[in-house]
Amino acid sequence: VTYAVIYSGNLWVSDYGAGKVNEYAAPFTVNEAPTLSLSVGIPAQLAFDSGGNLWVGTFGSNFYKFDSPITNGMSPSVTLSASGENTGVTLNGGNLWVFNWSAGSVYEFSPEPTAFVATPAPVLSAGSPIEGVFDSSNNLWIANYGVSGNEVTEYASPVHLGESPSNTLSLTSPNDATTIAMDRAGNLWVGAEG
C-alpha cells in the first residue's frame, strides 16, 4: 500500500505492488475484497476533486484523472505526462499540484488540466518531493524522499517560485518519508517506508 484516503465513507487504496487503485466499502472487514479496482501502472498519491473525480500520481511519467462516477475497470479520462516520476497529486483552490520527486520539482496546473499541453514551469524546487498536502491555511507540506535528515518541509501560503521552506521537520524514523496526509483536526500524518 502506497497511499490511502477516505472518500464518501469508503476507503481508497493505491496498491503499489499490484499496480491498482482499489475501493473498499464501509464497514471494513478483515480480508475484504475490493468493491472496485482500477489498473494504473504503479500508483502513488490519490486525490479527489470537488466533482468526485479521482486523480492518481504514479511512480512513472504519467498521472491520471478518472471521471465520476468511477466504475470498476474503467480507463482514465485524462492521462498527463511529464518527465520523471510524478508520484504526488493534490488539489487546492481548484488547481492540480503535482510532485515530481525525481526532478525535485512541484508543478501547479491552473485550473485542473483536461488535456496535456505542456508541463508548466515549476512552482518550487524542493528537494525530493514525493507527496504533498495543503493545510487549512493553504500552507503546503511536502514529504521529501531520499534526502539527508529524512524531512518534511512546509511552505507558507501563498506558495511561490523561489520560496524557501518556512518550517522543516526532521523525522526520527531511519526510513524515508513516503506519504503525507492532513486529517480534519489539522494533524499532519507522515508515513515512512520499511
Side-chain angles (χ1 to χ4, degrees):
V1 172
T2 308
Y3 194 81
V5 64
I6 299 287
Y7 181 76
S8 291
N10 294 335
L11 177 66
W12 291 78
V13 175
S14 61
D15 186 338
Y16 175 94
K20 299 207 178 276
V21 172
N22 297 318
E23 177 191 27
Y24 297 89
F28 310 117
T29 59
V30 176
N31 297 322
E32 179 179 343
T35 53
L36 182 146
S37 188
L38 306 169
S39 295
V40 291
I42 306 173
Q45 192 173 21
L46 309 174
F48 283 90
D49 63 24
S50 60
N53 304 307
L54 173 65
W55 290 89
V56 181
T58 67
F59 286 92
S61 60
N62 294 333
F63 49 104
Y64 304 98
K65 178 184 180 188
F66 292 86
D67 285 340
S68 180
I70 300 168
T71 58
N72 194 43
M74 74 185 289
S75 297
S77 56
V78 176
T79 299
L80 300 172
S81 298
S83 69
E85 298 197 42
N86 301 292
T87 53
V89 292
T90 195
L91 292 125
N92 189 48
N95 297 337
L96 176 70
W97 293 72
V98 175
F99 304 86
N100 184 314
W101 76 268
S102 59
S105 298
V106 177
Y107 302 98
E108 178 185 18
F109 290 85
S110 172
E112 295 171 8
T114 56
F116 179 72
V117 177
T119 302
V123 174
L124 290 173
S125 293
S128 299
I130 195 161
E131 292 185 2
V133 65
F134 285 89
D135 64 22
S136 61
S137 298
N138 290 321
N139 300 313
L140 176 61
W141 293 84
I142 297 174
N144 289 290
Y145 180 82
V147 297
S148 61
N150 195 18
E151 63 188 29
V152 171
T153 50
E154 175 190 18
Y155 293 85
S157 178
V159 178
H160 59 277
L161 185 61
E163 181 176 350
S164 296
S166 55
N167 194 4
T168 299
L169 307 174
S170 293
L171 306 178
T172 57
S173 170
N175 300 317
D176 290 319
T178 56
T179 191
I180 190 166
M182 185 79 57
D183 67 22
R184 290 182 187 174
N187 298 307
L188 183 66
W189 294 83
V190 179
E193 71 178 3

